[in-house]
Amino acid sequence: MSVSTSTSAGGARAKVRVPGLAMTMTYVAGPLATILCASFLLFALLGLAPGDPVAQLLGPHASDAARAATRSRLGLDDPLPVRYWHWLTGALHGDLGTSLTYRQPVSDLLAPRLLTTFLLVGMSAVLILLAGLLLGGIGGTSPRWRPLVNALTGLGIAVPAFVATTILIAVFAVNLGWFPTSGAGSGFTDRLWHLVLPAVALSIGYAAYLAQLTSSAIGEEAGAEHVLTGRGRGLPRALIFRRHILRNAALPILTASGLTMAGLVAGSVVVEPAFGIDGIGSLLIKSVSAKDYPVVTAVSALIVTVFVVVTTLLDAGQHLLDPRLRKGR
């Protein structure tokens, strides 16, 4: 942390600048406040959602006394701020509540499913970066291949994930029999094999978006005046691409890549149920249908936390790449 002081002619008035404090507020306090506000909003909206979790838990034939006792035991009669405070303090200590459907701690439900979902997200991220950056680089640097890249990316963006899932299962799992139709496998290698089709289905739209933006960013920089001047002076193409095109196009590419990675966990909610994968996406869908609010709250808060953390890291990476942002800070 650096401190600078200045004294005026009229007295010993000091001006203190503390950039370290601003960085702490930006990268620590800001994301924490966002997570807290988002979790409270989720908690409040779930409390206002139609349906009674007590009725779902006890069934339609329970007596009024049993319902009242259960509501009191679960703390549902407390005011919303009190209930949220109890949930928040418990979550900070690793206690996310007890599932109303499975009758076991929510943390125990999430633990085995997190590995499956994060493995799916990791495989999808690799496919997105490889396909998106490769297609985008080809489209941005080669006018001959640019129309084909634009057609492929436009098709990829237009096809929803659930449609891609249906096509992949019908072609590669049912007709050709190359991949399993459902499940996440048992061992590490078998699990990777089971997650190939879900990872492809999850990555198609994101990879097309990244390729489209990468192609646009590289194509725009390739037509810049200083790049044309460098080519006219006979500079090597590799040097021009590395120093003048790729460096200037890196910031929007990094932004698109980061936002894509942040959205993958939420995207798994669509893909996992279609492939019968027992991850947190499938758990969220089942819990919403069963009005299992402790599980819904925990999974939703986890998705929000992942998104906020990734976007915060993305913001930090942008400031490292662009000196203008550091000066503005």
Side-chain angles (χ1 to χ4, degrees), residues 28-63:
V28 178
L32 285 178
T34 302
I35 294 172
L36 285 175
C37 292
S39 62
F40 178 78
L41 183 61
L42 287 170
F43 197 88
L45 291 177
L46 286 175
L48 297 175
D52 187 4
V54 174
Q56 185 73 18
L57 182 64
L58 298 180
H61 303 294
S63 63

Coordinates of all heavy atoms in Angstrom, one line a residue, residues 28-63:
V28 N -12.4 -7.5 -3.2 CA -12.8 -8.3 -2.0 C -14.2 -7.9 -1.5 O -15.1 -8.7 -1.5 CB -11.8 -8.2 -0.9 CG1 -12.2 -9.0 0.4 CG2 -10.4 -8.7 -1.3
A29 N -14.3 -6.6 -1.1 CA -15.5 -6.2 -0.5 C -16.7 -6.1 -1.5 O -17.8 -6.5 -1.2 CB -15.3 -4.8 0.1
G30 N -16.4 -5.7 -2.7 CA -17.4 -5.6 -3.7 C -18.0 -7.0 -4.1 O -19.2 -7.2 -4.0
P31 N -17.2 -8.0 -4.4 CA -17.8 -9.3 -4.6 C -18.5 -9.9 -3.4 O -19.5 -10.6 -3.6 CB -16.5 -10.2 -5.0 CG -15.6 -9.2 -5.5 CD -15.8 -7.9 -4.8
L32 N -18.0 -9.7 -2.2 CA -18.6 -10.2 -1.0 C -20.0 -9.6 -0.9 O -21.0 -10.3 -0.6 CB -17.8 -10.0 0.2 CG -16.6 -10.9 0.4 CD1 -15.8 -10.5 1.6 CD2 -17.0 -12.4 0.4
A33 N -20.1 -8.3 -1.1 CA -21.4 -7.6 -1.0 C -22.4 -8.1 -2.1 O -23.5 -8.3 -1.8 CB -21.2 -6.1 -1.1
T34 N -21.8 -8.4 -3.3 CA -22.7 -8.9 -4.3 C -23.2 -10.3 -4.0 O -24.4 -10.6 -4.2 CB -21.9 -9.0 -5.6 OG1 -21.4 -7.7 -6.0 CG2 -22.8 -9.5 -6.8
I35 N -22.4 -11.1 -3.4 CA -22.8 -12.5 -3.1 C -23.8 -12.4 -1.9 O -24.9 -13.1 -2.0 CB -21.6 -13.3 -2.6 CG1 -20.7 -13.6 -3.8 CG2 -22.0 -14.7 -2.0 CD1 -19.4 -14.2 -3.5
L36 N -23.6 -11.5 -1.0 CA -24.6 -11.4 0.1 C -25.9 -10.9 -0.4 O -27.0 -11.5 0.0 CB -24.0 -10.5 1.2 CG -22.9 -11.0 2.1 CD1 -22.4 -9.9 3.0 CD2 -23.4 -12.2 2.9
C37 N -25.9 -9.9 -1.2 CA -27.2 -9.3 -1.7 C -27.9 -10.4 -2.6 O -29.1 -10.5 -2.5 CB -26.9 -8.1 -2.5 SG -26.3 -6.7 -1.6
A38 N -27.2 -11.1 -3.4 CA -27.8 -12.1 -4.3 C -28.3 -13.2 -3.5 O -29.5 -13.7 -3.8 CB -26.8 -12.6 -5.3
S39 N -27.6 -13.7 -2.5 CA -28.1 -14.8 -1.6 C -29.3 -14.4 -0.9 O -30.3 -15.2 -0.7 CB -27.0 -15.3 -0.7 OG -26.6 -14.3 0.2
F40 N -29.4 -13.2 -0.4 CA -30.6 -12.7 0.4 C -31.8 -12.6 -0.6 O -32.9 -13.0 -0.2 CB -30.3 -11.3 1.0 CG -31.5 -10.8 1.7 CD1 -31.8 -11.3 3.0 CD2 -32.3 -9.8 1.2 CE1 -33.0 -10.8 3.7 CE2 -33.4 -9.3 1.8 CZ -33.7 -9.8 3.1
L41 N -31.5 -12.1 -1.8 CA -32.6 -12.0 -2.8 C -33.2 -13.4 -3.1 O -34.4 -13.6 -3.2 CB -32.1 -11.3 -4.0 CG -33.2 -11.0 -5.1 CD1 -34.3 -10.2 -4.6 CD2 -32.5 -10.4 -6.3
L42 N -32.2 -14.4 -3.3 CA -32.7 -15.7 -3.6 C -33.5 -16.3 -2.4 O -34.5 -16.9 -2.6 CB -31.5 -16.6 -3.9 CG -30.7 -16.4 -5.2 CD1 -29.4 -17.2 -5.2 CD2 -31.6 -16.9 -6.3
F43 N -33.0 -16.1 -1.2 CA -33.7 -16.6 0.0 C -35.1 -16.0 0.1 O -36.0 -16.7 0.4 CB -32.8 -16.2 1.2 CG -33.2 -17.0 2.4 CD1 -32.6 -18.3 2.7 CD2 -34.1 -16.6 3.3 CE1 -32.9 -19.0 3.8 CE2 -34.5 -17.3 4.4 CZ -33.8 -18.5 4.7
A44 N -35.2 -14.7 -0.2 CA -36.5 -14.0 -0.1 C -37.4 -14.5 -1.1 O -38.6 -14.7 -0.9 CB -36.3 -12.5 -0.1
L45 N -37.0 -14.6 -2.4 CA -37.8 -15.0 -3.5 C -38.3 -16.5 -3.3 O -39.5 -16.8 -3.6 CB -37.1 -14.9 -4.8 CG -36.8 -13.5 -5.3 CD1 -36.0 -13.4 -6.6 CD2 -38.1 -12.7 -5.4
L46 N -37.5 -17.3 -2.8 CA -37.9 -18.7 -2.5 C -38.9 -18.7 -1.4 O -39.8 -19.6 -1.4 CB -36.7 -19.6 -2.1 CG -35.8 -19.9 -3.3 CD1 -34.6 -20.7 -2.8 CD2 -36.5 -20.8 -4.3
G47 N -38.8 -17.8 -0.4 CA -39.8 -17.7 0.7 C -41.1 -17.3 0.2 O -42.2 -17.6 0.7
L48 N -41.1 -16.5 -0.9 CA -42.4 -16.0 -1.5 C -43.0 -16.9 -2.6 O -44.0 -16.7 -3.1 CB -42.2 -14.6 -2.1 CG -41.8 -13.5 -1.1 CD1 -41.5 -12.2 -1.9 CD2 -42.9 -13.3 -0.1
A49 N -42.2 -17.9 -3.0 CA -42.6 -18.8 -4.0 C -43.9 -19.6 -3.6 O -44.1 -19.9 -2.4 CB -41.5 -19.8 -4.4
P50 N -44.8 -19.9 -4.6 CA -46.0 -20.7 -4.2 C -45.6 -22.1 -3.8 O -44.6 -22.7 -4.2 CB -46.8 -20.7 -5.5 CG -45.7 -20.5 -6.6 CD -44.7 -19.6 -6.0
G51 N -46.5 -22.6 -2.9 CA -46.3 -24.0 -2.4 C -45.8 -23.9 -1.0 O -45.2 -23.0 -0.5
D52 N -46.1 -24.9 -0.2 CA -45.7 -25.1 1.2 C -44.8 -26.2 1.4 O -45.2 -27.4 1.1 CB -47.0 -25.3 2.0 CG -46.7 -25.2 3.5 OD1 -45.5 -24.9 3.9 OD2 -47.6 -25.5 4.3
P53 N -43.5 -26.0 1.8 CA -42.6 -27.1 2.0 C -43.1 -28.1 3.1 O -42.7 -29.2 3.0 CB -41.3 -26.4 2.3 CG -41.7 -25.0 2.8 CD -42.9 -24.7 2.0
V54 N -43.8 -27.5 4.0 CA -44.3 -28.4 5.1 C -45.3 -29.4 4.5 O -45.3 -30.6 4.9 CB -44.9 -27.6 6.2 CG1 -45.6 -28.5 7.3 CG2 -43.9 -26.7 6.9
A55 N -46.2 -28.9 3.7 CA -47.2 -29.8 3.0 C -46.5 -30.9 2.2 O -46.9 -32.0 2.1 CB -48.2 -29.0 2.2
Q56 N -45.4 -30.4 1.5 CA -44.6 -31.4 0.7 C -43.9 -32.4 1.5 O -43.8 -33.6 1.1 CB -43.6 -30.6 -0.2 CG -42.8 -31.4 -1.2 CD -43.6 -31.8 -2.4 OE1 -44.7 -31.2 -2.6 NE2 -43.2 -32.8 -3.1
L57 N -43.5 -32.0 2.7 CA -42.8 -32.9 3.6 C -43.7 -33.9 4.3 O -43.4 -35.0 4.4 CB -42.0 -32.0 4.6 CG -41.1 -32.8 5.6 CD1 -40.0 -33.5 4.9 CD2 -40.6 -31.8 6.7
L58 N -44.8 -33.4 4.8 CA -45.7 -34.2 5.6 C -46.8 -34.9 4.8 O -47.4 -35.9 5.3 CB -46.3 -33.4 6.7 CG -45.4 -32.8 7.8 CD1 -46.2 -32.0 8.8 CD2 -44.5 -33.8 8.4
G59 N -47.1 -34.4 3.6 CA -48.2 -35.0 2.8 C -49.5 -34.2 3.1 O -49.6 -33.4 4.0
P60 N -50.5 -34.5 2.3 CA -51.8 -33.8 2.4 C -52.6 -34.1 3.6 O -53.6 -33.4 3.9 CB -52.5 -34.1 1.0 CG -51.9 -35.4 0.7 CD -50.5 -35.5 1.2
H61 N -52.4 -35.3 4.2 CA -53.3 -35.7 5.3 C -52.7 -35.4 6.7 O -53.3 -35.9 7.7 CB -53.5 -37.2 5.1 CG -54.0 -37.6 3.8 ND1 -55.3 -37.3 3.4 CD2 -53.5 -38.3 2.8 CE1 -55.5 -37.8 2.2 NE2 -54.4 -38.4 1.8
A62 N -51.7 -34.6 6.8 CA -51.1 -34.3 8.1 C -52.1 -33.3 8.9 O -52.8 -32.5 8.3 CB -49.8 -33.6 8.0
S63 N -52.1 -33.5 10.2 CA -52.9 -32.6 11.0 C -52.3 -31.2 11.1 O -51.2 -31.0 10.8 CB -53.1 -33.2 12.4 OG -51.8 -33.3 13.0

